Structure formats: C-alpha cells, structure tokens
Amino acid sequence: MIRLAKDHDIPILLEVTQACAMHMVEQGIHQWNEVYPNKSAFLSDLDQKALWVFMAEDHPVGCVSFYTTMDDEYKALDWIAPESRHLYVHRLAVHPNFQRQNIARKLMDFAENQARELSCVSVRLDTFSQNPRNLKFYAARGYQQTGGQLYFPKQSVHPFITLELLLR
C-alpha cells in the first residue's frame, strides 16, 4: 500500500535510506551518505505533502517524493519537453531487505500516474551516473537521458545525470 507520509515515518525513512546507502557502498556505489538524504529534506517533503511511503508489514519500507515545482539546480539544465507542467521525482528508496520485489516499480508507477492526473507533460529526475542498476531501471521505464549533469560535491565527485519521461 502507498500512502502519504506522516511525522512518525521520518525516523524509519532515515533508517531505510541509511540502509540503502550502506548497501550501495558495498557495491562500490557512493551515491548517498550521511549528508543526503537527510531529515531536513524529508521534513520539507512532509510539509509540502510530497512524501509517499510504501507500506509492508505495517511499516514503511520504501518512499518517493515528488513535486510540480522545479528545484533551483534544475533550472539551468536543458530538458526534452518544453517548459510546461512537469513532475519532479526525488528520493526514491526501498530498504535492501525489500528490494527486488517490484516496490520501486510500484512507487514509480504511482508517481507517473499522479503526473498524468495532474496533466503533466513529463516526469523529470536525476540519478547517479555510477549506479548501473538505476540507469537500467529508468531506461526500461522509457526515461531518456537529457544530457544534463549535476554535481553534488558532498555526495560524490561523479555527476548525477538528468532523465525525463515524456507522457504525451
């Protein structure tokens, strides 16, 4: 079940993302760390009613946040679709113990369906250039690389690349 996040979910989601970060590091992927994702980002998502959780066994095991507003980091980038209404996805995570159960797919299906209901032209996001599993996941969903790159020095020396799924 997917539901809007609540205050008491935040500590659990921090545990989920920390477990994801450790799991990625074990695979040589230095995408997330103690700096990001963080409590502040989740609280902002929560305040804006933009944070959704996937429930299993009566507790959150995954999450995704999405907005119709563009982050400042994205404004200087070239996108595929013309400027209009878009959905911006952030912080997709599934606890490693629950991965490979189609939970990430269900969370993205949910976000993309919300984009359609909101009459968005596309779904936009960024993902770590050194994470082959994520790149394959989004490519299989029809996301196209836009050519844009973002650098988050507190996370990695490697770029995050921008992806876009056209809905029309």
Side-chain angles (χ1 to χ4, degrees):
M1 174 182 87
I2 298 171
R3 66 160 171 76
L4 200 56
K6 301 175 182 173
D7 290 335
H8 65 268
D9 295 325
I10 300 299
I12 298 166
L13 294 178
L14 289 169
E15 290 175 15
V16 168
T17 56
Q18 289 167 359
C20 288
M22 289 177 21
H23 184 67
M24 287 186 283
V25 167
E26 290 168 2
Q27 299 170 50
I29 301 168
H30 299 274
Q31 175 177 339
W32 284 353
N33 56 29
E34 66 282 349
V35 176
Y36 183 88
N38 57 44
K39 184 176 182 179
S40 175
F42 281 133
L43 288 174
S44 178
D45 293 342
L46 189 69
D47 287 345
Q48 297 185 52
K49 296 186 177 13
L51 179 60
W52 299 84
V53 295
F54 188 95
M55 302 294 291
E57 302 173 6
D58 295 325
H59 66 279
V61 298
C63 63
V64 67
S65 62
F66 50 83
Y67 296 83
T68 55
T69 55
M70 181 187 294
D71 285 359
D72 288 340
E73 294 88 358
Y74 284 2
K75 290 181 180 175
L77 301 172
D78 291 327
W79 295 93
I80 297 168
E83 283 313 309
S84 183
R85 189 166 176 86
H86 307 278
L87 193 77
Y88 298 89
V89 172
H90 303 285
R91 294 173 280 289
L92 175 66
V94 177
H95 192 284
N97 294 344
F98 291 86
Q99 290 180 4
R100 302 204 183 270
Q101 296 179 30
N102 291 318
I103 294 171
R105 181 186 56 79
K106 291 174 184 174
L107 285 164
M108 286 305 297
D109 286 348
F110 179 77
E112 292 163 8
N113 286 335
Q114 290 295 306
R116 287 180 184 93
E117 287 183 21
L118 294 168
S119 301
C120 292
V121 173
S122 72
V123 177
R124 296 173 171 179
L125 55 89
D126 66 78
T127 194
F128 191 48
S129 63
Q130 305 300 302
N131 189 330
R133 187 170 167 200
N134 278 8
L135 295 170
K136 183 178 177 182
F137 172 76
Y138 290 118
R141 298 186 69 80
Y143 283 79
Q144 302 171 54
Q145 292 188 23
T146 68
Q149 294 186 347
L150 299 165
Y151 287 89
F152 300 107
K154 292 181 181 177
Q155 287 177 252
S156 177
V157 297
H158 299 287
F160 286 70
I161 59 171
T162 54
L163 305 170
E164 189 166 10
L165 175 69
L166 302 177
L167 298 176
R168 296 181 190 173

